[in-house]
Amino acid sequence: MDLDLLVSILAVTITAGTSLVFASLGEILTERSGILNLGLEGIMIMGAVSAFAAAFHTESLLAGVLTGIAVGGLLAAIHAFLTISLRADQVVSGLALTLFGGGLSSFLGQNLGPGGKPLVGQVGPKFAKVALPLLSEIPFLGSSIFRQDPLVYLMYILVPLAAYYIYKTRPGLHLRAVGESPATADAMGVNVARTRYLYTIVGGMLMGLGGAHLSLAYTPGWTENLTGGRGWIAVALVIFATW
């Protein structure tokens, strides 16, 4: 196979997988705290539509990303309230969140464009690829790994940072204790409910960030069902990664 083709395939694979990594990290943090969130698909698609709408109207990519993160955190907070405070079934709550997010995103996408017109077909700001000096000149890997959009570079940082946080820090120990043995964590003086709220919301924010990457970088724009089942793929990735 031609070397240039391999480089192109690797570059596209990394870009396409970034949203999945963000969502998977969010789900790992959530599940490590003892909460199952099957609402990834709904949170991601809501993050995508809100991020693109915010970026389109403000002409600011940062505003779009922050909006997607905030919406993801808000939806995850609803899931946390239902499952932690009201002790609702986690599977039912997550599936309801997916259905709610899918329906609401389709509705909002028809009304968030200029003058209340649909967002579909609108062209807004998008993340451009940025080549890192020196690193992008590395033969073969350089042009595919280090010539990406800024959110991909953020993903490069978050993955090892999350691993270090979960396994090498005291808050990470508390997180694992809450998920694996809530009674033991409570005996240690860890507030179980507060910890689960925190990581469920932070996880939702990362899922919203994954949606924002889809609409602002990978496939800039908005169409219905933009996520295309990526939320469910992220759930599978978390399982295969053994949490």
Side-chain angles (χ1 to χ4, degrees), residues 80-168:
F81 175 72
L82 291 173
T83 57
I84 300 171
S85 296
L86 300 185
R87 299 185 181 278
D89 186 276
Q90 296 179 10
V91 174
V92 173
S93 177
L95 293 177
L97 197 59
T98 289
L99 295 174
F100 173 75
L104 184 59
S105 64
S106 297
F107 172 75
L108 293 178
Q110 298 175 3
N111 300 278
L112 289 180
K117 296 179 180 178
L119 277 176
V120 177
Q122 305 295 336
V123 178
K126 63 179 181 179
F127 282 102
K129 294 186 181 300
V130 179
L132 296 184
L134 300 179
L135 293 176
S136 61
E137 303 302 323
I138 298 174
F140 182 62
L141 294 179
S143 58
S144 56
I145 297 178
F146 300 111
R147 197 181 299 271
Q148 296 283 355
D149 63 80
L151 291 182
V152 174
Y153 297 132
L154 177 61
M155 181 264 291
Y156 291 162
I157 297 171
L158 282 181
V159 170
L161 188 63
Y164 179 82
Y165 180 84
I166 292 173
Y167 293 107
K168 299 296 183 180

Side-chain angles (χ1 to χ4, degrees), residues 28-103:
I28 286 172
L29 290 176
T30 301
E31 293 203 25
R32 278 286 184 176
S33 72
I35 300 297
L36 172 65
N37 187 354
L38 293 181
L40 272 80
E41 185 76 5
I43 293 176
M44 286 185 71
I45 200 164
M46 280 297 296
V49 67
S50 59
F52 180 71
F56 176 79
H57 287 289
T58 64
E59 298 184 353
S60 168
L61 288 169
L62 179 59
V65 169
L66 293 178
T67 300
I69 291 173
V71 169
L74 177 61
L75 291 175
I78 295 173
H79 180 68
F81 175 72
L82 291 173
T83 57
I84 300 171
S85 296
L86 300 185
R87 299 185 181 278
D89 186 276
Q90 296 179 10
V91 174
V92 173
S93 177
L95 293 177
L97 197 59
T98 289
L99 295 174
F100 173 75

Side-chain angles (χ1 to χ4, degrees), residues 20-21 23-29 31-32 36 40 231-243:
L20 292 174
V21 173
S24 297
L25 285 177
E27 182 68 7
I28 286 172
L29 290 176
E31 293 203 25
R32 278 286 184 176
L36 172 65
L40 272 80
W232 299 112
I233 295 174
V235 173
L237 289 174
V238 172
I239 296 171
F240 291 141
T242 61
W243 294 268

